[in-house]
Amino acid sequence: MKTIDELLAEGVSGKRVFVRADLNVPLDGTTITDDGRIRAVVPTVKALADAGARVVVASHLGRPKGAPDPAFSLAPAAARLGELLGAEVAFATDTVGDSATATVAGLADGGVAVIENLRFNAGETSKDDAERGAFADRLAALADVYVGDGFGAVHRKHASVFDLPARLPHAAGYLIATEVGVLRKLTDDVRRPYVVVLGGSKVSDKLGVIDHLLEKADRILVGGGMVFTFLKAQGHEVGTSLLQEDQIPVVQEYLARAKERGVEFVLPADVLVSSEFPDMKTKAPAHPDTVSADVIPADRMGLDIGPETRTLYASKLADAGTVFWNGPMGVFEHPDYAEGTRAVAQALVDSPAFTVVGGGDSAAAVRILGFDEKAFGHISTGGGASLEYLEGKTLPGLAALED
């Protein structure tokens, strides 16, 4: 896989360099609530611009249905990228149409442009190779060189991720190089004990990684909405908590395998419960109760791990050599259900281990809760991509960058 440093050594001055970034940031209207993914691509964009390249940045945002949708415009991300670069960033109002063509043609050496949301074109995500390839052909006409730096999308077989690199000379940007290097430390060069913390809403989203990590990890801690399927699999009442009953047999098998292999599987001792989901708009006080995890009342739902579990999980992280964390412990966006996630984050900060926050909601939680990102070994920009890498899957976007 060619690195961006090798590309820069060859010379990029005057060349149009297409940077597939991940600017898929959360928005409140047109206000960016977490700019971490934009900041992550700045080193690559800046290095190319400083070397005289004409940089064309492209990304998806959200899930528009293959047609323009103002709610998913990249305009706010383009503006924020300009602020972070300290330079004007041009913005094209389409992906491969007249605006994109004119905007790219108007770039001077060292100039940067962002084209509109790639998913405004159905060809970006099409499962039809010909349709996807036709869109990649049109994107290729905008550039001379391709740099892949959108780690959060490398697990997708999309036109700008998989097909476009085959049409242009290509290299990996700084972010992808860093992400892959970190993930190798979680698979090939693990310092033990290796502790994995998994949360989030659905256990089905994590089945593949649990299956794989049962062969790798020494200890697995579970929280978030997914934990209630585990508790139910042990025969406990979970009330109205989030539950995937169809996954119970699989979860029971994993618990049995963990016991056979000597992998410590840790579930909450207590949880915070309420009769209703909290008001996420007003963030009004929810007044939750704390109950033992094995006796959740039938009319209550679990929304965070409890104080006993916070202490327990911190103790299980204290002696770790390596920690991978993916998924919050509760509804961290509401202050009454943020303490479980805060406790795990603080335990990682306090740990001497090599700590990796696996993207997605975990990365957002770290920032929203006010932690210094530098206190962690690495904060990934790609939750889904990180999980699939740890599952041992071949990621299309990484395979496409291989020579």
Side-chain angles (χ1 to χ4, degrees), residues 87-141:
E88 182 179 352
V89 169
F91 181 66
T93 57
D94 56 29
T95 53
V96 289
D98 292 342
S99 179
T101 301
T103 300
V104 173
L107 285 175
D109 292 359
V112 179
V114 173
I115 62 174
E116 187 54 285
N117 193 335
L118 291 164
R119 291 186 183 175
F120 284 1
N121 190 303
E124 169 68 0
T125 59
S126 176
K127 297 189 185 308
D128 181 82
D129 290 348
E131 184 180 12
R132 216 175 49 246
F135 183 50
D137 287 339
R138 296 185 71 187
L139 290 172

Side-chain angles (χ1 to χ4, degrees), residues 224-302:
M226 64 182 284
V227 79
F228 301 106
T229 302
F230 282 89
L231 292 171
K232 188 72 171 180
Q234 291 184 325
H236 302 309
E237 172 63 58
V238 297
T240 60
S241 305
L242 186 63
L243 175 66
Q244 290 186 283
E245 291 202 49
D246 60 321
Q247 303 298 335
I248 288 176
V250 181
V251 165
Q252 289 173 329
E253 178 198 338
Y254 286 171
L255 289 171
R257 276 178 57 200
K259 187 174 182 180
E260 290 170 5
R261 295 191 61 82
V263 177
E264 188 178 2
F265 220 104
V266 189
L267 300 178
D270 59 346
V271 295
L272 299 187
V273 299
S274 176
S275 58
E276 58 185 6
F277 197 80
D279 188 326
M280 300 305 292
K281 288 187 177 180
T282 66
K283 305 290 176 72
H287 306 296
D289 296 315
T290 301
V291 300
S292 176
D294 58 359
V295 290
I296 297 173
D299 63 345
R300 299 292 185 91
M301 65 178 71

